[in-house]
Amino acid sequence: MSDLLPGGTRIKDLQFWGGYGTASFTMKRGSFKIKDRVQERIPLTLTDNGERLTLSDARGEHCVAVTLSHSSGVARIELQQTAGEPFTRFWISLPARASERIFGCGETFSEFDLKGKTARIWVAEHQNLSRIMGKVIRNTLSKPAANRKLRFEKYETYYAQPTFTSSARYFVHVDSDAYMEFRFDKAEHLLYLHTMPKTLYIGMSETYEGLSTALSGVLGKQPLAPTWINDGLIIAVQGGTDAIKKKVETALAAGIPLVGVWSQDWCGARITAFGHQVMWNWAHDATLYPGLEALMAEMKSKGIRFLGYINPFMAIEGELYRFASARGFCIKDKDGKDYLTTTTTFPAAMIDFTNPQAYEWYKNVIKKNLIEFGLDGWMADFGEYMPVDAQLFHSDDNTQTHNTWPALWAQMNREVLEETGRQDEIFFFTRAGHTGTVRNSMMMWNGDQHVDWSEDDGLPSVITATLSLAMSGYGVTHSDIGGYTTMPKCLREPELLMRWAELAAFSPVMRCHEGNRPADNAQFDHNNETLTHFAKLTRVHVTLKDYINRCVLQNHEAGIPVMRPLFYHYDEEALYGQPYAYLLGRDLACYPVVVKGQTAKEVYLPEDEWVHLFTGAEYRGGKQYVECPMGCPPVFYRKASPDRELFEQVKKLHDKGITG
């Protein structure tokens, strides 16, 4: 047991407390106010009588049986209370080093290194929409909310998972779905839970690759997405059949390799104070999209797939809601009525996934209305809005069911593909997550970023979010090119869109989003410059598709993330301070431009020999000052890479001209 943690730490060096408390959870537009009251905290002492380990208080009134086992470099500590009133609060203290860096806890946007921070493990809407929406509706926004710096502890996240990785080469995962807070101080990591966890996993390895593989053994393997997604750009189109035809013609005429059209309003639209939003009735809207089936068939014959949108809610104006409500398939409020939740500006009902009949019915909705209709993929949105005060068909404790909801939603989508035999053909991607999402979701996207350059919610934040997910065991992620959330004084400019496309070219998939106010945002076809830019970057992405697909396969087989921190393969202290750069696989070092107006930047390359992907210039490790004009982002390949010939094709594209 002497090797449980680095530095010779033993299980007896961990500290435990049990206790009792109460809490209230108030949700508004997916954001939660949590009032927590600890009533009692009881120190527990670990004893070993030679046959078993136990935790008990000084009076012997409470007792917890501890079972310790090891497998493949992972220590498994199981806890089972055998005496006393069941704990409703539990604390675990693990020794820490002042020099440690901490990463993970799901998806963190504003910070990557969590040392000195407290992470809240509770699935929620990332942006505080109740704050944003009130100001947008009244049109009194004085400045973009994204530029208002908040303390890290104030931010919420779509994907919250009780998993963290240390620079000391170990990970910790807590097997619990309850509300938690992880506080990472200089001398200890204090884990606070609203229940006693079932199991504590602590994995060790000499390398980050070994840690990722060991963690995947705990969390599960991520399903593979179909490889066609890297054959080109997936453009976003809203507004009807004619709009699709026009956008597709424009893209193809500009030389953009198209692989998909994503229409989130395929099932209808509504115009609200927030902008252009989807009508949540999950069936083809023949009025808005006449002749869509024929158009989908025509596009698919040219290699262009059609993707849609769905979430666990239903518009109360729709036929699906009336059917579900009549059969009791919706979650209920305290009075037994359908629980109506407002996400932005309109109320909607949510399907009760704990009801087996409702669960199967919703799966059949996806099978019939999406797959049989002809969709080749969809955004499986939401998952974080399950209200704690709802009445469910089956739930022992909604404060634990809440966190499991996004994993259950991803599971439903995965089961649909497996039951229809379409898992190798259809692509779905999710936004929210918790333990269990990894083994059910093909891919995450980073959610509804602001269409700006802010570190908390804009372009830079998708890099920290992606890397924190990578260090939490989730390895295939992408973002909306250009962001989503548009407000009166926060509109997407062409420069931001094009820089975002440069980042997306070096990610698992390139997919656009028009945003909630399409007419106010620059789109891929904004002008000849944006069209030419997207043509070039998409061709770069397609050139790299075999390399990217091998990285995705490695994630599926060994849990090694596609986009990795710079320090993942290089043990250099300076690399830990690079939250806005990453490795794409083993051999590409990417430094996206995330500052408005920047045309040159200083980068810190890992100690190796590197070649600029676009210019062919060679560099050694350390600080380098490089030019980064539009269309030529600072991306470098390892000179010793076995894929050098493939990477050299990108330079040939660049030298040949914009579209190749």
Side-chain angles (χ1 to χ4, degrees):
M1 197 56 195
S2 61
D3 61 346
L4 175 60
L5 289 177
T9 303
R10 302 170 61 90
I11 190 171
K12 68 179 183 180
D13 296 317
L14 276 62
Q15 294 179 280
F16 301 87
W17 297 262
Y20 304 94
T22 59
S24 64
F25 297 78
T26 304
M27 182 182 77
K28 185 175 183 181
R29 294 190 173 92
S31 179
F32 287 82
K33 289 184 179 180
I34 301 172
K35 294 181 180 179
D36 185 31
R37 180 169 176 256
V38 175
Q39 298 166 324
E40 187 176 11
R41 180 173 174 172
I42 306 165
L44 301 175
T45 302
L46 182 70
T47 58
D48 183 357
N49 65 7
E51 295 182 1
R52 63 176 183 172
L53 298 168
T54 57
L55 289 169
S56 58
D57 65 311
R59 296 182 178 181
E61 296 175 355
H62 300 85
C63 187
V64 177
V66 181
T67 303
L68 176 63
S69 60
H70 292 82
S71 177
S72 303
V74 179
R76 177 186 173 110
I77 304 171
E78 297 179 74
L79 305 174
Q80 182 179 10
Q81 190 167 352
T82 58
E85 186 71 20
F87 292 128
T88 60
R89 296 293 183 272
F90 206 79
W91 295 260
I92 304 171
S93 174
L94 298 90
R97 301 174 181 179
S99 60
E100 267 184 278
R101 310 294 185 97
I102 300 297
F103 312 99
C105 291
E107 191 173 25
T108 57
F109 292 83
S110 57
E111 302 284 351
F112 182 37
D113 181 2
L114 302 183
K115 189 68 171 181
K117 308 293 183 184
T118 297
R120 190 170 85 165
I121 312 299
W122 184 256
V123 173
E125 173 76 55
H126 166 56
Q127 302 167 70
N128 189 338
L129 280 184
S130 61
R131 172 171 58 88
I132 294 172
M133 283 305 303
K135 294 184 180 295
V136 170
I137 293 170
R138 295 193 300 272
N139 200 26
T140 58
L141 195 64
S142 59
K143 63 178 180 177
N147 293 330
R148 295 175 181 167
K149 186 74 175 178
L150 298 178
R151 296 198 318 272
F152 175 79
E153 289 76 11
K154 291 288 186 180
Y155 283 94
E156 300 173 287
T157 180
Y158 310 112
Y159 194 127
Q161 185 175 294
T163 310
F164 67 87
T165 299
S166 167
S167 59
R169 304 298 195 278
Y170 68 88
F171 71 77
V172 174
H173 174 70
V174 181
D175 184 11
S176 174
D177 299 316
Y179 175 85
M180 303 180 220
E181 291 176 3
F182 288 5
R183 193 181 76 201
F184 301 108
D185 293 335
K186 289 183 178 180
E188 72 167 347
H189 306 317
L190 184 63
L191 316 182
Y192 168 57
L193 301 84
H194 279 195
T195 187
M196 188 180 73
K198 302 173 185 176
T199 310
L200 182 70
Y201 296 91
I202 304 176
M204 296 158 287
S205 177
E206 294 181 357
T207 66
Y208 286 112
E209 300 102 304
L211 282 180
S212 293
T213 298
L215 183 54
S216 72
V218 174
L219 299 175
K221 308 293 187 185
Q222 193 169 348
L224 283 171
T227 57
W228 61 257
I229 63 175
N230 288 311
D231 289 339
L233 177 70
I234 299 174
I235 61 172
V237 185
Q238 301 177 75
T241 310
D242 290 340
I244 291 178
K245 292 178 180 178
K246 182 178 179 180
K247 293 274 188 178
V248 168
E249 290 172 1
T250 300
L252 294 178
I256 298 175
L258 271 191
V259 72
V261 172
W262 176 60
S263 296
Q264 66 171 7
D265 64 348
W266 72 284
C267 48
R270 64 168 94 216
I271 305 302
T272 71
F274 189 57
H276 187 101
Q277 295 188 264
V278 180
M279 179 61 70
W280 294 351
N281 186 55
W282 314 119
H284 166 223
D285 185 330
T287 301
L288 184 59
Y289 283 94
L292 180 58
E293 286 181 277
L295 178 59
M296 287 192 299
E298 179 186 348
M299 290 194 302
K300 194 163 185 178
S301 69
K302 300 176 181 178
I304 304 171
R305 272 80 168 179
F306 182 83
L307 298 88
Y309 174 95
I310 190 171
N311 68 47
F313 289 99
M314 292 175 298
I316 58 177
E317 305 94 330
E319 295 179 7
L320 286 176
Y321 166 70
R322 288 190 286 273
F323 182 94
S325 180
R327 288 157 181 78
F329 288 171
C330 303
I331 66 172
K332 306 298 182 184
D333 62 19
K334 59 183 177 58
D335 298 319
K337 299 178 181 178
D338 291 347
Y339 197 122
L340 301 184
T341 301
T342 298
T343 60
T344 52
T345 60
F346 55 88
M350 187 189 298
I351 289 296
D352 186 349
F353 291 159
T354 70
N355 181 334
Q357 286 186 309
Y359 186 88
E360 289 301 317
W361 173 74
Y362 215 56
K363 282 169 64 174
N364 286 326
V365 168
I366 299 175
K367 291 176 182 178
K368 179 177 177 58
N369 292 3
L370 278 69
I371 294 178
E372 289 184 20
F373 181 68
L375 271 64
D376 289 300
W378 54 82
M379 173 186 282
D381 202 358
F382 288 97
E384 60 277 82
Y385 274 72
M386 206 290 287
V388 172
D389 60 341
Q391 293 187 48
L392 303 180
F393 181 86
H394 176 72
S395 174
D396 294 329
D397 184 354
N398 284 2
T399 62
Q400 297 196 46
T401 305
H402 169 83
N403 270 343
T404 66
W405 213 255
L408 195 56
W409 173 224
Q411 175 184 312
M412 175 185 291
N413 285 268
R414 177 184 59 79
E415 289 176 354
V416 164
L417 298 191
E418 291 177 350
E419 290 169 11
T420 56
R422 303 291 299 278
Q423 61 267 36
D424 297 330
E425 306 169 42
I426 289 177
F427 172 48
F428 79 88
F429 47 102
T430 55
R431 177 174 86 167
H434 184 64
T435 306
T437 299
V438 173
R439 59 178 177 267
N440 288 305
S441 172
M442 286 182 171
M443 191 178 297
M444 290 290 294
W445 97 98
N446 297 125
D448 297 342
Q449 273 67 52
H450 291 260
V451 293
D452 67 8
W453 306 86
S454 65
E455 293 181 358
D456 290 342
D457 291 300
L459 172 58
S461 74
V462 304
I463 303 176
T464 52
T466 296
L467 296 182
S468 65
L469 278 172
M471 301 305 279
S472 302
Y474 194 102
V476 190
T477 312
H478 76 295
S479 63
D480 296 329
I481 298 178
Y484 169 78
T485 303
T486 309
M487 296 176 288
K489 297 184 180 181
C490 181
L491 308 177
R492 183 198 293 160
E493 301 171 344
E495 181 188 355
L496 176 81
L497 178 67
M498 291 193 288
R499 289 302 193 188
W500 212 309
E502 291 176 355
L503 185 156
F506 300 94
S507 77
V509 66
M510 290 187 72
R511 180 186 57 81
C512 296
H513 200 312
E514 292 188 316
N516 58 298
R517 294 178 178 270
D520 295 336
N521 286 328
Q523 308 295 348
F524 79 93
D525 57 349
H526 179 74
N527 54 30
N528 287 334
E529 183 183 13
T530 56
L531 282 167
T532 301
H533 185 79
F534 270 85
K536 173 183 178 179
L537 269 299
T538 305
R539 288 180 181 274
V540 169
H541 182 77
V542 172
T543 299
L544 298 174
K545 68 178 182 179
D546 289 343
Y547 175 78
I548 293 173
N549 285 334
R550 288 201 304 273
C551 294
V552 172
L553 181 61
Q554 186 182 32
N555 174 73
H556 170 69
E557 293 177 342
I560 298 174
V562 176
M563 298 168 71
R564 312 161 191 176
L566 291 178
F567 57 76
Y568 196 86
H569 297 288
Y570 298 91
D571 190 14
E572 299 176 50
E573 181 62 26
L575 299 179
Y576 284 92
Q578 304 284 321
Y580 302 124
Y582 60 93
L583 296 171
L584 179 66
R586 176 65 181 89
D587 293 338
L588 287 177
C590 307
Y591 299 80
V593 176
V594 295
V595 176
K596 180 179 173 64
Q598 190 173 55
T599 57
K601 66 184 295 186
E602 184 178 85
V603 303
Y604 193 101
L605 287 164
E607 189 54 47
D608 213 327
E609 292 184 298
W610 299 93
V611 181
H612 196 294
L613 190 65
F614 292 90
T615 69
E618 297 189 10
Y619 298 86
R620 294 287 305 180
K623 290 183 180 179
Q624 303 289 350
Y625 190 77
V626 295
E627 302 292 325
C628 49
M630 190 68 72
C632 188
V635 178
F636 308 84
Y637 66 84
R638 232 172 25 100
K639 189 174 181 179
S641 170
D643 288 297
R644 181 171 181 172
E645 290 186 10
L646 174 66
F647 298 146
E648 287 175 346
Q649 293 180 31
V650 174
K651 182 179 181 300
K652 292 178 181 178
L653 267 179
H654 182 68
D655 292 342
K656 204 171 177 182
I658 295 299
T659 63

Coordinates of all heavy atoms in Angstrom, one line a residue, residues 419-445:
E419 N -29.4 -0.2 -31.5 CA -30.6 -1.0 -31.8 C -31.0 -0.9 -33.2 O -31.7 -1.8 -33.7 CB -31.8 -0.5 -30.9 CG -31.6 -0.9 -29.4 CD -32.6 -0.2 -28.5 OE1 -33.5 0.4 -29.0 OE2 -32.4 -0.3 -27.2
T420 N -30.6 0.1 -33.9 CA -30.9 0.3 -35.3 C -29.8 -0.1 -36.2 O -29.9 -0.1 -37.4 CB -31.3 1.7 -35.7 OG1 -30.3 2.6 -35.3 CG2 -32.6 2.1 -35.0
G421 N -28.6 -0.5 -35.6 CA -27.5 -0.9 -36.3 C -26.8 0.2 -37.1 O -26.1 0.0 -38.1
R422 N -27.0 1.5 -36.6 CA -26.5 2.6 -37.4 C -25.3 3.3 -36.7 O -25.0 4.5 -37.1 CB -27.6 3.6 -37.6 CG -28.8 3.0 -38.3 CD -28.5 2.7 -39.8 NE -28.2 3.9 -40.5 CZ -29.0 4.8 -41.0 NH1 -30.3 4.6 -40.9 NH2 -28.6 5.8 -41.7
Q423 N -24.7 2.7 -35.7 CA -23.7 3.4 -34.9 C -22.4 3.7 -35.8 O -21.7 4.6 -35.4 CB -23.3 2.5 -33.7 CG -22.7 1.2 -34.0 CD -23.7 0.1 -34.0 OE1 -24.9 0.3 -34.5 NE2 -23.3 -1.1 -33.6
D424 N -22.2 3.1 -36.9 CA -21.1 3.4 -37.7 C -21.4 4.4 -38.8 O -20.5 4.8 -39.6 CB -20.6 2.1 -38.4 CG -20.0 1.1 -37.4 OD1 -19.5 1.5 -36.4 OD2 -20.1 -0.1 -37.7
E425 N -22.7 4.9 -38.8 CA -23.1 5.8 -39.9 C -23.6 7.1 -39.4 O -23.4 8.1 -40.1 CB -24.3 5.1 -40.7 CG -24.0 3.7 -41.3 CD -25.2 3.1 -41.8 OE1 -26.0 3.8 -42.4 OE2 -25.4 1.9 -41.5
I426 N -24.2 7.1 -38.2 CA -24.8 8.3 -37.7 C -24.0 9.0 -36.6 O -23.4 8.3 -35.8 CB -26.2 8.0 -37.2 CG1 -27.2 7.7 -38.3 CG2 -26.8 9.1 -36.3 CD1 -28.6 7.3 -37.9
F427 N -23.9 10.3 -36.6 CA -23.1 11.1 -35.7 C -24.0 11.9 -34.8 O -24.8 12.7 -35.3 CB -22.2 12.0 -36.6 CG -21.5 13.0 -35.8 CD1 -20.7 12.7 -34.7 CD2 -21.4 14.4 -36.2 CE1 -20.0 13.6 -34.0 CE2 -20.7 15.3 -35.5 CZ -20.0 15.0 -34.4
F428 N -23.9 11.7 -33.5 CA -24.6 12.6 -32.5 C -23.6 13.2 -31.6 O -22.5 12.5 -31.3 CB -25.7 11.9 -31.8 CG -25.3 11.0 -30.7 CD1 -25.2 11.5 -29.4 CD2 -25.1 9.6 -30.9 CE1 -24.8 10.7 -28.3 CE2 -24.7 8.8 -29.8 CZ -24.5 9.3 -28.6
F429 N -23.8 14.3 -31.1 CA -22.9 15.0 -30.2 C -23.7 15.7 -29.1 O -24.8 16.1 -29.3 CB -22.0 16.0 -30.9 CG -22.6 16.9 -31.9 CD1 -22.9 18.2 -31.5 CD2 -23.0 16.5 -33.1 CE1 -23.5 19.1 -32.4 CE2 -23.6 17.3 -34.0 CZ -23.9 18.6 -33.7
T430 N -23.1 15.7 -27.9 CA -23.8 16.2 -26.7 C -23.1 17.4 -26.1 O -22.0 17.7 -26.4 CB -23.8 15.0 -25.6 OG1 -22.5 14.6 -25.4 CG2 -24.6 13.9 -26.1
R431 N -23.8 18.0 -25.1 CA -23.3 19.2 -24.5 C -23.0 19.0 -23.0 O -22.0 19.5 -22.4 CB -24.3 20.4 -24.6 CG -23.9 21.7 -23.9 CD -24.8 22.8 -24.2 NE -26.0 22.9 -23.3 CZ -26.8 23.9 -23.3 NH1 -26.6 25.0 -24.0 NH2 -27.8 23.9 -22.5
A432 N -24.0 18.4 -22.3 CA -23.8 18.2 -20.8 C -23.3 16.8 -20.5 O -23.3 15.9 -21.3 CB -25.2 18.3 -20.2
G433 N -22.7 16.7 -19.3 CA -22.1 15.4 -19.0 C -21.8 15.2 -17.5 O -21.8 16.2 -16.7
H434 N -21.6 14.0 -17.1 CA -21.2 13.6 -15.8 C -20.6 12.2 -15.9 O -20.5 11.6 -17.0 CB -22.4 13.6 -14.9 CG -22.2 13.3 -13.4 ND1 -21.4 14.1 -12.6 CD2 -22.6 12.2 -12.6 CE1 -21.3 13.5 -11.4 NE2 -22.0 12.4 -11.4
T435 N -20.3 11.5 -14.8 CA -19.8 10.2 -14.9 C -20.8 9.3 -15.7 O -22.0 9.3 -15.4 CB -19.6 9.6 -13.5 OG1 -18.8 10.5 -12.7 CG2 -19.0 8.2 -13.5
G436 N -20.3 8.5 -16.6 CA -21.2 7.7 -17.5 C -21.3 8.3 -18.9 O -21.6 7.6 -19.8
T437 N -21.1 9.6 -19.0 CA -21.2 10.2 -20.3 C -20.1 9.7 -21.3 O -20.3 9.5 -22.4 CB -21.1 11.8 -20.2 OG1 -22.2 12.2 -19.4 CG2 -21.2 12.4 -21.6
V438 N -18.9 9.5 -20.7 CA -17.8 9.0 -21.5 C -18.1 7.8 -22.3 O -17.9 7.7 -23.5 CB -16.5 8.8 -20.7 CG1 -15.4 8.1 -21.5 CG2 -16.0 10.0 -20.0
R439 N -18.7 6.8 -21.7 CA -19.0 5.6 -22.4 C -20.3 5.6 -23.3 O -20.6 4.6 -23.9 CB -19.1 4.4 -21.4 CG -20.2 4.5 -20.4 CD -20.2 3.3 -19.4 NE -21.2 3.4 -18.4 CZ -20.9 3.9 -17.1 NH1 -19.7 4.3 -16.9 NH2 -21.8 4.0 -16.2
N440 N -20.9 6.7 -23.3 CA -22.2 6.8 -24.1 C -22.2 7.8 -25.2 O -22.9 7.7 -26.1 CB -23.4 7.1 -23.1 CG -23.7 6.0 -22.2 OD1 -24.0 4.9 -22.7 ND2 -23.7 6.2 -20.9
S441 N -21.3 8.9 -25.1 CA -21.4 10.0 -26.0 C -20.2 9.9 -27.0 O -19.1 9.8 -26.7 CB -21.3 11.3 -25.3 OG -21.1 12.4 -26.1
M442 N -20.6 10.1 -28.3 CA -19.5 10.1 -29.4 C -18.6 11.3 -29.3 O -17.4 11.1 -29.5 CB -20.2 10.1 -30.7 CG -20.8 8.8 -31.2 SD -21.5 8.9 -32.8 CE -21.9 7.2 -33.2
M443 N -19.2 12.4 -29.0 CA -18.4 13.6 -29.0 C -19.2 14.7 -28.2 O -20.4 14.8 -28.2 CB -18.2 14.1 -30.4 CG -17.1 15.2 -30.5 SD -16.8 15.7 -32.2 CE -16.1 14.3 -32.9
M444 N -18.4 15.5 -27.5 CA -19.0 16.7 -26.9 C -18.8 17.9 -27.8 O -17.9 17.9 -28.7 CB -18.2 17.0 -25.6 CG -18.5 16.1 -24.4 SD -20.2 16.2 -23.8 CE -20.1 17.8 -23.0
W445 N -19.6 18.9 -27.6 CA -19.2 20.2 -28.1 C -19.3 21.2 -26.9 O -19.9 20.9 -25.9 CB -20.1 20.7 -29.3 CG -21.3 21.6 -29.0 CD1 -21.3 22.9 -29.1 CD2 -22.6 21.2 -28.5 NE1 -22.5 23.4 -28.7 CE2 -23.3 22.4 -28.4 CE3 -23.2 20.0 -28.2 CZ2 -24.7 22.3 -27.9 CZ3 -24.5 19.9 -27.8 CH2 -25.2 21.1 -27.7

